[in-house]
């Protein structure tokens, strides 16, 4: 199957950090824009961040700016999401997918999202 495999989630206290990984399985990432998304309990899926193929351009949701950092290693076919200063509102299942735009978080959904993985659960709790 052509999909991402997300990992790195877990239980963390408020103020803590985690690094999520998103490995492409069955396809090469070199030419794809990749987005990170999350879905909190009882809420819809929202865009968190995105990165262009070369890594030269990134974008973030306002709620995570200054706390999260997206990066990629095309040689490893993997995209990362470094998360700092986590708070209760960051509790969610985190997913990645390939998208057609990194202009805004809303635009990531405009042309559909491909290669969804099963996600990794991040729980922020004291």
């Amino acid at each position: 199957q052509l999909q991402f495999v997300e990992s790195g989630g877990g239980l963390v206290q408020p103020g803590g950090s985690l690094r999520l990984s998103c490995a492409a399985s069955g396809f090469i990432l070199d030419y794809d824009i990749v987005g990170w998304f999350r879905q909190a309990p009882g809420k819809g899926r929202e865009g968190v961040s995105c990165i262009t193929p070369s890594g030269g351009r990134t974008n973030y949701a306002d709620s995570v700016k200054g706390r999260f950092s997206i990066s990629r290693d095309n040689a490893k076919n993997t995209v990362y999401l470094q998360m700092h200063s986590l708070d209760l509102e960051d509790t969610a299942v985190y997913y990645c997918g390939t998208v057609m735009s990194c202009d805004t978080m809303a635009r990531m959904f405009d042309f559909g999202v491909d290669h969804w993985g099963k996600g990794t659960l991040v729980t922020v709790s004291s």
Side-chain angles (χ1 to χ4, degrees), residues 5-42:
V5 178
E6 300 92 344
S7 62
L11 175 63
V12 62
Q13 291 187 336
S17 298
L18 279 176
R19 188 174 87 149
L20 306 182
S21 297
C22 172
S25 176
F27 66 103
I28 303 298
L29 270 184
D30 291 18
Y31 305 107
D32 290 307
I33 302 171
V34 179
W36 275 101
F37 303 81
R38 67 186 180 185
Q39 187 164 15

Side-chain angles (χ1 to χ4, degrees), residues 1 36 40 44 65 108 125:
Q1 273 187 325
W36 275 101
K65 276 180 185 174
M108 285 204 289
S125 175

